[in-house]
mmCIF file of all heavy atoms in Angstrom:
data_model
loop_
_atom_site.group_PDB
_atom_site.id
_atom_site.type_symbol
_atom_site.label_atom_id
_atom_site.label_comp_id
_atom_site.label_asym_id
_atom_site.label_seq_id
_atom_site.Cartn_x
_atom_site.Cartn_y
_atom_site.Cartn_z
ATOM 1 N N GLU A 230 -13.287 -12.860 -3.324
ATOM 2 C CA GLU A 230 -12.947 -13.859 -4.356
ATOM 3 C C GLU A 230 -13.373 -13.438 -5.762
ATOM 4 O O GLU A 230 -12.953 -14.043 -6.749
ATOM 5 C CB GLU A 230 -13.574 -15.210 -3.999
ATOM 6 C CG GLU A 230 -15.074 -15.169 -3.855
ATOM 7 C CD GLU A 230 -15.634 -16.436 -3.208
ATOM 8 O OE1 GLU A 230 -14.884 -17.101 -2.475
ATOM 9 O OE2 GLU A 230 -16.820 -16.730 -3.456
ATOM 10 N N ASN A 231 -14.177 -12.370 -5.860
ATOM 11 C CA ASN A 231 -14.624 -11.922 -7.182
ATOM 12 C C ASN A 231 -13.620 -11.019 -7.899
ATOM 13 O O ASN A 231 -13.823 -10.648 -9.046
ATOM 14 C CB ASN A 231 -15.964 -11.175 -7.063
ATOM 15 C CG ASN A 231 -17.051 -12.105 -6.536
ATOM 16 O OD1 ASN A 231 -17.106 -13.277 -6.912
ATOM 17 N ND2 ASN A 231 -17.884 -11.598 -5.652
ATOM 18 N N ILE A 232 -12.548 -10.652 -7.205
ATOM 19 C CA ILE A 232 -11.513 -9.808 -7.821
ATOM 20 C C ILE A 232 -10.535 -10.700 -8.582
ATOM 21 O O ILE A 232 -9.977 -11.635 -8.022
ATOM 22 C CB ILE A 232 -10.748 -9.010 -6.743
ATOM 23 C CG1 ILE A 232 -11.703 -8.113 -5.956
ATOM 24 C CG2 ILE A 232 -9.603 -8.213 -7.357
ATOM 25 C CD1 ILE A 232 -12.230 -6.922 -6.703
ATOM 26 N N ASN A 233 -10.343 -10.402 -9.853
ATOM 27 C CA ASN A 233 -9.457 -11.256 -10.650
ATOM 28 C C ASN A 233 -8.316 -10.510 -11.334
ATOM 29 O O ASN A 233 -7.463 -11.122 -11.943
ATOM 30 C CB ASN A 233 -10.265 -12.005 -11.718
ATOM 31 C CG ASN A 233 -11.191 -13.017 -11.073
ATOM 32 O OD1 ASN A 233 -10.764 -13.781 -10.207
ATOM 33 N ND2 ASN A 233 -12.458 -12.992 -11.448
ATOM 34 N N THR A 234 -8.316 -9.184 -11.242
ATOM 35 C CA THR A 234 -7.244 -8.456 -11.925
ATOM 36 C C THR A 234 -6.449 -7.620 -10.944
ATOM 37 O O THR A 234 -7.010 -7.014 -10.025
ATOM 38 C CB THR A 234 -7.806 -7.520 -13.019
ATOM 39 O OG1 THR A 234 -8.788 -6.678 -12.418
ATOM 40 C CG2 THR A 234 -8.434 -8.315 -14.139
ATOM 41 N N ASN A 235 -5.148 -7.622 -11.121
ATOM 42 C CA ASN A 235 -4.242 -6.827 -10.304
ATOM 43 C C ASN A 235 -3.600 -5.783 -11.215
ATOM 44 O O ASN A 235 -2.870 -6.120 -12.133
ATOM 45 C CB ASN A 235 -3.173 -7.737 -9.679
ATOM 46 C CG ASN A 235 -2.177 -6.963 -8.825
ATOM 47 O OD1 ASN A 235 -2.425 -5.828 -8.442
ATOM 48 N ND2 ASN A 235 -1.057 -7.587 -8.529
ATOM 49 N N THR A 236 -3.900 -4.508 -10.965
ATOM 50 C CA THR A 236 -3.323 -3.435 -11.766
ATOM 51 C C THR A 236 -1.934 -3.122 -11.232
ATOM 52 O O THR A 236 -1.794 -2.681 -10.092
ATOM 53 C CB THR A 236 -4.202 -2.167 -11.690
ATOM 54 O OG1 THR A 236 -5.520 -2.505 -12.107
ATOM 55 C CG2 THR A 236 -3.650 -1.067 -12.574
ATOM 56 N N LYS A 237 -0.912 -3.369 -12.048
ATOM 57 C CA LYS A 237 0.463 -3.107 -11.624
ATOM 58 C C LYS A 237 0.989 -1.900 -12.382
ATOM 59 O O LYS A 237 0.951 -1.873 -13.612
ATOM 60 C CB LYS A 237 1.355 -4.316 -11.922
ATOM 61 C CG LYS A 237 0.969 -5.553 -11.139
ATOM 62 C CD LYS A 237 1.861 -6.727 -11.481
ATOM 63 C CE LYS A 237 1.383 -7.970 -10.744
ATOM 64 N NZ LYS A 237 2.193 -9.145 -11.063
ATOM 65 N N ILE A 238 1.469 -0.916 -11.641
ATOM 66 C CA ILE A 238 2.031 0.265 -12.300
ATOM 67 C C ILE A 238 3.351 0.657 -11.646
ATOM 68 O O ILE A 238 3.583 0.378 -10.466
ATOM 69 C CB ILE A 238 1.069 1.475 -12.275
ATOM 70 C CG1 ILE A 238 0.773 1.928 -10.833
ATOM 71 C CG2 ILE A 238 -0.213 1.184 -13.007
ATOM 72 C CD1 ILE A 238 0.302 3.353 -10.748
ATOM 73 N N ILE A 239 4.195 1.296 -12.429
ATOM 74 C CA ILE A 239 5.404 1.906 -11.889
ATOM 75 C C ILE A 239 5.162 3.412 -11.897
ATOM 76 O O ILE A 239 4.766 3.978 -12.919
ATOM 77 C CB ILE A 239 6.642 1.547 -12.737
ATOM 78 C CG1 ILE A 239 6.911 0.047 -12.629
ATOM 79 C CG2 ILE A 239 7.857 2.346 -12.277
ATOM 80 C CD1 ILE A 239 8.008 -0.451 -13.551
ATOM 81 N N ASN A 240 5.347 4.041 -10.749
ATOM 82 C CA ASN A 240 5.145 5.488 -10.629
ATOM 83 C C ASN A 240 6.511 6.172 -10.515
ATOM 84 O O ASN A 240 7.089 6.219 -9.437
ATOM 85 C CB ASN A 240 4.281 5.802 -9.413
ATOM 86 C CG ASN A 240 4.020 7.294 -9.256
ATOM 87 O OD1 ASN A 240 4.548 8.103 -10.009
ATOM 88 N ND2 ASN A 240 3.213 7.643 -8.266
ATOM 89 N N PRO A 241 7.007 6.714 -11.632
ATOM 90 C CA PRO A 241 8.322 7.336 -11.604
ATOM 91 C C PRO A 241 8.324 8.724 -10.978
ATOM 92 O O PRO A 241 9.383 9.295 -10.716
ATOM 93 C CB PRO A 241 8.704 7.419 -13.090
ATOM 94 C CG PRO A 241 7.403 7.538 -13.791
ATOM 95 C CD PRO A 241 6.400 6.756 -12.975
ATOM 96 N N ASN A 242 7.129 9.267 -10.733
ATOM 97 C CA ASN A 242 7.016 10.652 -10.269
ATOM 98 C C ASN A 242 6.631 10.768 -8.801
ATOM 99 O O ASN A 242 6.221 11.835 -8.348
ATOM 100 C CB ASN A 242 5.989 11.403 -11.122
ATOM 101 C CG ASN A 242 6.362 11.394 -12.592
ATOM 102 O OD1 ASN A 242 7.516 11.642 -12.929
ATOM 103 N ND2 ASN A 242 5.407 11.077 -13.453
ATOM 104 N N PHE A 243 6.766 9.666 -8.065
ATOM 105 C CA PHE A 243 6.305 9.673 -6.678
ATOM 106 C C PHE A 243 6.938 10.789 -5.854
ATOM 107 O O PHE A 243 6.259 11.478 -5.094
ATOM 108 C CB PHE A 243 6.590 8.313 -6.022
ATOM 109 C CG PHE A 243 6.248 8.286 -4.565
ATOM 110 C CD1 PHE A 243 4.930 8.236 -4.158
ATOM 111 C CD2 PHE A 243 7.236 8.346 -3.591
ATOM 112 C CE1 PHE A 243 4.594 8.235 -2.803
ATOM 113 C CE2 PHE A 243 6.914 8.356 -2.243
ATOM 114 C CZ PHE A 243 5.588 8.303 -1.855
ATOM 115 N N PHE A 244 8.236 10.973 -5.996
ATOM 116 C CA PHE A 244 8.915 11.966 -5.156
ATOM 117 C C PHE A 244 8.384 13.380 -5.408
ATOM 118 O O PHE A 244 8.503 14.257 -4.560
ATOM 119 C CB PHE A 244 10.431 11.911 -5.350
ATOM 120 C CG PHE A 244 10.912 12.320 -6.716
ATOM 121 C CD1 PHE A 244 11.332 13.618 -6.960
ATOM 122 C CD2 PHE A 244 10.959 11.403 -7.760
ATOM 123 C CE1 PHE A 244 11.777 13.999 -8.217
ATOM 124 C CE2 PHE A 244 11.404 11.777 -9.018
ATOM 125 C CZ PHE A 244 11.802 13.084 -9.250
ATOM 126 N N MET A 245 7.743 13.588 -6.587
ATOM 127 C CA MET A 245 7.186 14.913 -6.886
ATOM 128 C C MET A 245 5.948 15.216 -6.043
ATOM 129 O O MET A 245 5.611 16.371 -5.821
ATOM 130 C CB MET A 245 6.867 15.020 -8.375
ATOM 131 C CG MET A 245 8.120 15.063 -9.226
ATOM 132 S SD MET A 245 7.787 14.878 -10.996
ATOM 133 C CE MET A 245 6.970 16.426 -11.335
ATOM 134 N N GLU A 246 5.271 14.157 -5.553
ATOM 135 C CA GLU A 246 4.133 14.368 -4.648
ATOM 136 C C GLU A 246 4.616 15.095 -3.401
ATOM 137 O O GLU A 246 4.012 16.065 -2.946
ATOM 138 C CB GLU A 246 3.507 13.038 -4.220
ATOM 139 C CG GLU A 246 2.725 12.336 -5.281
ATOM 140 C CD GLU A 246 2.167 11.003 -4.791
ATOM 141 O OE1 GLU A 246 2.070 10.773 -3.570
ATOM 142 O OE2 GLU A 246 1.812 10.183 -5.652
ATOM 143 N N GLY A 247 5.697 14.583 -2.831
ATOM 144 C CA GLY A 247 6.260 15.193 -1.632
ATOM 145 C C GLY A 247 6.719 16.616 -1.890
ATOM 146 O O GLY A 247 6.470 17.519 -1.088
ATOM 147 N N GLN A 248 7.357 16.790 -3.028
ATOM 148 C CA GLN A 248 7.863 18.115 -3.403
ATOM 149 C C GLN A 248 6.723 19.129 -3.484
ATOM 150 O O GLN A 248 6.802 20.235 -2.957
ATOM 151 C CB GLN A 248 8.541 18.000 -4.771
ATOM 152 C CG GLN A 248 9.792 18.801 -4.936
ATOM 153 C CD GLN A 248 10.537 18.376 -6.209
ATOM 154 O OE1 GLN A 248 9.947 17.895 -7.178
ATOM 155 N NE2 GLN A 248 11.840 18.550 -6.196
ATOM 156 N N ALA A 249 5.634 18.710 -4.149
ATOM 157 C CA ALA A 249 4.472 19.600 -4.300
ATOM 158 C C ALA A 249 3.866 19.946 -2.944
ATOM 159 O O ALA A 249 3.542 21.114 -2.668
ATOM 160 C CB ALA A 249 3.422 18.942 -5.198
#
Side-chain angles (χ1 to χ4, degrees):
E230 58 192 25
N231 297 321
I232 300 288
N233 292 312
T234 54
N235 179 16
T236 304
K237 296 179 184 179
I238 62 158
I239 294 173
N240 181 356
N242 302 314
F243 175 74
F244 66 95
M245 290 169 69
E246 288 178 19
Q248 219 168 27

